[in-house]
Amino acid sequence: QVGLVESGGGSVQARGSLRLSCSFSGANFRRPVCMAWFRQGPGDERERVAAISPTGATTYADYVKGRFTISTDNANKILYLQMDNMQLVDSDTYYCAAATKYIDYCPVRHYNYDTWGQGTQVSVST
């Protein structure tokens, strides 16, 4: 296992829930790093959905506040994204990422993240 490995994507009905997982046990980070979830649709730029800093501070995109929760299980080296009350617009490919060069905060733009998972597809239907 190398780098970041996502799991947990799939299909869900609107107002349902999914939990994405991202194992970072293979990444061998030397210290706590900023980790985040991004989403990307066809032809779109990757945009940050949620992030968690090395100190545990969390940040969310406005459109997921109150619905999504990012968390980490540092003992088992897993990053989670709990997605509740899902909407049709949440359908996308979701990626977990790490920004290993940032100590104090999590950057917003995708190009500041240097380690990526392979992505997992999420589809929300009526």
Side-chain angles (χ1 to χ4, degrees):
Q1 180 171 315
V2 177
L4 309 180
V5 180
E6 299 107 336
S7 61
S11 298
V12 64
Q13 289 190 322
R15 294 180 296 280
S17 297
L18 277 178
R19 187 176 76 164
L20 305 182
S21 300
C22 171
S23 171
F24 55 93
S25 61
N28 296 318
F29 296 135
R30 296 183 180 180
R31 54 176 172 77
V33 300
C34 164
M35 299 196 71
W37 288 96
F38 283 76
R39 60 185 289 179
Q40 184 176 28
D44 294 336
E45 186 176 354
R46 287 185 188 183
E47 60 179 14
R48 198 182 74 177
V49 175
I52 184 164
S53 76
T55 61
T58 57
T59 308
Y60 298 93
D62 287 343
Y63 55 87
V64 304
K65 284 181 180 177
R67 300 191 299 121
F68 290 11
T69 304
I70 188 171
S71 62
T72 55
D73 176 352
N74 289 315
N76 294 300
K77 297 185 178 181
I78 302 175
L79 175 73
Y80 294 107
L81 183 67
Q82 177 67 41
M83 303 185 291
D84 298 319
N85 189 22
M86 296 187 71
Q87 307 298 314
L88 298 179
V89 294
D90 294 325
S91 297
D92 244 335
T93 301
Y94 284 74
Y95 299 86
C96 66
T100 63
K101 299 178 182 178
Y102 291 79
I103 299 175
D104 298 324
Y105 73 99
C106 286
V108 176
R109 303 304 298 273
H110 61 87
Y111 48 72
N112 291 311
Y113 289 76
D114 49 71
T115 306
W116 291 88
Q118 80 284 0
T120 186
Q121 185 69 38
V122 171
S123 178
V124 184
S125 61
T126 56

